Amino acid sequence: MNRRLEEKIIAFAYGELEPRAEAAIRDEISRSPEAASLYADYRRSAELFGALPEAPNPSLGTERLKQEILSRGLSRQPRWFGTMGTIAGAAVAAFLWIMVSSHPSRTTSETPAGEEFAVSATATETKRGSVPAVPIIKGPTTEGLTAATETLSHPKPAAKKAPARTEAWRSASTPLRIGHAVSSGASSSAVPTTDEGIVADAAVRSFGAAERIAPTPPAFNGDEVVLIESGAPEEHGTTRATEARFPDGVSIGG
Amino acid sequence: MEAAAYANAQGSAAATDNALISAAKSGDFSSFERLYERHRATVYRFAYHMTHSRDEAEDITQETFVRAFQNLHRFRKEAKFTTWVLRITTNLCTDRARMTQRRSALEQQEAAGSLEWMTVGRTVSPIEDLEKERQAQMVRKAVNALPSHHRQVLIMRDFEEREYTEISEILGCTVGGAKLRVLRARRALRDRLAPLLKEMEQ
């Protein structure tokens, strides 16, 4: 049976056929048993489907809907609300940007190296959690450098957690630097060369930014002298130091 | 204009859907409640015939109106609210059908059996007419076995007797497309009902 005729038979069975086409289909059904069988099938399936029971009464109340809407935190707001929200957000963002850009930025040179390093190390430590604390270096003094180097040279339990990285650094061609603790002008013995030292070095390096934050103390030069402000309080020492160069022939000290 | 719509929605019982929608859009929840009261039965019936479960149909109906409320600003006035909510219902039913398909065959059978026993309204008593009930169950099973898109159009056209124009709007297709879908769905139903039809013929 061709598709077109089948479509017409289906439409006829469902009562959708145009009245003028009905006569032709009736005629076809009466002549062809196949068409008659097809018509009977569609007619019955339409009846069976139509005879399906109606839906039982629902227990739908407006209160239930209201609760559902409220529980999801949905609320219909006027259209202008969204626009106002966007404008307010943009205004706050602009204000913050202006505040940030107009505020004088704090540079590393303004801050004592020890303080910066301490803050940086503490922040990083909190973030990483497992990395052990690195000693806070109070300032670029020789004692401080030595103390820091010594402390770093001792193995830390948590620092051993990254042996793979240590291996990578071990194979590096240039020695790793421990921020300001190992200055370019310091003696080579200050640079940790032992395994422990490398581990400690790795621990310091893992803190990151130490090299960036802490300035490198200048190497001692015989011509240069640091003048320390007189009358500084005993508790914390001087806050100012001036570097001066003396001409040849000037003796300093006793 | 919105204030006028609001007053209209409050005062007149014969307020149009559009007036209620305008009022609901401006924040009047009672107008949305009236919309819900007006159309929930339509949505529920459709959902019930799609799922054959009262609980699921109720859930779908509620979800439909929650989504309608959420997306009320997207409703275009030129469309009919019924068409719009039925479109949401159709999508929800399709999603649910997809989820059901993912279940294992055993789970599906068990769930269908228990849900049917628990939730399907038995308007015909099995004592009064066992044969009719058996047939109805077979038809229901055959309808349930149809793909969701076939079921949707069959319910819309042959159960709810909607016009092809409306079906096309709900489905987001042309009238010709809607007719074609209905035709295919009828063919599929007839194929599914073939054993029962043969039995009836004998």
Side-chain angles (χ1 to χ4, degrees):
Chain A
M1 182 180 293
N2 73 50
R3 215 81 169 149
R4 190 82 190 139
L5 182 62
E6 191 198 348
E7 280 175 25
K8 283 189 175 174
I9 288 171
I10 295 170
F12 183 57
Y14 279 87
E16 290 176 357
L17 199 66
E18 294 167 11
R20 57 191 171 145
E22 274 185 20
I25 293 298
R26 274 182 206 278
D27 189 41
E28 183 65 36
I29 290 167
S30 62
R31 277 193 291 113
S32 163
E34 195 189 353
S37 167
L38 196 69
Y39 170 75
D41 276 1
Y42 278 108
R43 188 82 212 116
R44 270 191 222 115
S45 78
E47 283 169 2
L48 286 169
F49 185 70
L52 279 175
E54 281 290 330
N57 287 332
S59 57
L60 292 163
T62 48
E63 204 52 44
R64 190 178 155 187
L65 176 76
K66 209 172 191 173
Q67 279 176 359
E68 185 65 27
I69 288 173
L70 287 172
S71 71
R72 295 198 199 176
L74 300 173
S75 59
R76 222 8 323 113
Q77 280 145 351
R79 196 174 285 178
W80 58 266
F81 191 88
T83 319
M84 288 300 288
T86 314
I87 293 167
V92 168
F95 177 75
L96 286 173
W97 184 79
I98 290 165
M99 287 296 288
V100 168
S101 59
S102 63
H103 192 269
S105 59
R106 221 176 152 202
T107 57
T108 317
S109 59
E110 290 174 299
T111 317
E115 184 189 328
E116 273 289 341
F117 187 78
V119 170
S120 171
T122 313
T124 322
E125 179 192 347
T126 314
K127 207 161 130 187
R128 289 180 180 255
S130 62
V131 183
V134 160
I136 296 169
I137 299 162
K138 295 288 183 188
T141 60
T142 316
E143 291 81 8
L145 283 175
T146 315
T149 309
E150 281 170 7
T151 317
L152 289 170
S153 295
H154 287 94
K156 303 284 180 188
K160 286 177 183 173
K161 285 180 183 174
R165 293 179 71 186
T166 312
E167 287 301 318
W169 293 325
R170 198 196 298 265
S171 61
S173 57
T174 52
L176 299 171
R177 294 179 59 208
I178 311 177
H180 74 281
V182 182
S183 67
S184 57
S187 64
S188 60
S189 61
V191 180
T193 50
T194 59
D195 280 359
E196 293 88 352
I198 289 170
V199 171
D201 198 341
V204 172
R205 194 181 175 89
S206 69
F207 279 90
E211 201 169 10
R212 189 182 70 246
I213 295 166
T216 307
F220 179 75
N221 187 333
D223 295 341
E224 290 175 357
V225 170
V226 175
L227 298 177
I228 297 170
E229 190 182 42
S230 59
E234 284 181 2
E235 305 88 58
H236 53 76
T238 181
T239 53
R240 287 185 61 193
T242 315
E243 197 176 279
R245 183 183 288 274
F246 288 85
D248 292 339
V250 177
S251 304
I252 298 170
Chain B
M1 183 160 176
E2 276 183 352
Y6 178 78
N8 196 14
Q10 288 288 312
S12 168
T16 62
D17 282 351
N18 280 343
L20 288 168
I21 290 162
S22 298
K25 274 181 180 177
S26 59
D28 176 28
F29 190 75
S30 65
S31 297
F32 188 76
E33 279 182 332
R34 288 184 64 188
L35 278 169
Y36 176 66
E37 282 163 5
R38 275 182 168 209
H39 301 290
R40 68 181 167 192
T42 312
V43 172
Y44 167 75
R45 269 201 307 269
F46 179 78
Y48 177 78
H49 290 300
M50 283 296 291
T51 58
H52 285 291
S53 155
R54 192 166 73 184
D55 289 345
E56 280 196 50
E58 284 178 1
D59 286 350
I60 289 173
T61 307
Q62 187 164 288
E63 185 62 27
T64 299
F65 279 93
V66 168
R67 291 201 185 181
F69 182 77
Q70 206 175 349
N71 297 290
L72 211 55
H73 60 281
R74 291 186 187 168
F75 175 75
R76 291 173 292 111
K77 275 186 180 173
E78 56 266 30
K80 273 174 76 180
F81 184 72
T82 330
T83 309
W84 188 59
V85 286
L86 276 176
R87 199 168 183 171
I88 298 171
T89 317
T90 308
N91 292 337
L92 287 171
C93 288
T94 309
D95 291 348
R96 200 163 282 241
R98 275 186 200 142
M99 278 167 67
T100 311
Q101 271 179 357
R102 282 178 200 151
R103 289 182 202 156
S104 68
L106 186 65
E107 275 179 344
Q108 205 170 352
Q109 277 175 6
E110 282 175 0
S114 59
L115 281 172
E116 207 165 317
W117 178 77
M118 285 189 292
T119 61
V120 170
R122 292 171 183 269
T123 53
V124 180
S125 163
I127 302 161
E128 283 173 23
D129 198 341
L130 274 170
E131 183 56 27
K132 210 171 179 183
E133 178 59 21
R134 192 185 68 86
Q135 279 184 6
Q137 279 186 9
M138 285 177 80
V139 175
R140 212 177 282 139
K141 210 173 253 181
V143 172
N144 279 344
L146 286 173
S148 177
H149 58 277
H150 282 341
R151 241 182 304 159
Q152 284 168 6
V153 289
L154 281 178
I155 291 162
M156 282 182 213
R157 180 64 193 166
D158 296 337
F159 209 85
E160 297 180 339
E161 297 176 347
R162 292 186 187 278
E163 292 298 320
Y164 280 113
T165 327
E166 198 180 351
I167 295 170
S168 68
E169 281 171 13
I170 293 167
L171 298 177
C173 63
T174 60
V175 176
K179 282 183 179 176
L180 192 64
R181 287 185 197 196
V182 171
L183 179 72
R184 284 175 181 162
R186 284 171 177 169
R187 276 188 188 136
L189 178 67
R190 182 226 168 201
D191 291 346
R192 294 272 178 193
L193 288 174
L196 181 65
L197 294 172
K198 212 170 258 180
E199 191 186 293
M200 286 171 79
E201 202 179 328
Q202 285 164 4

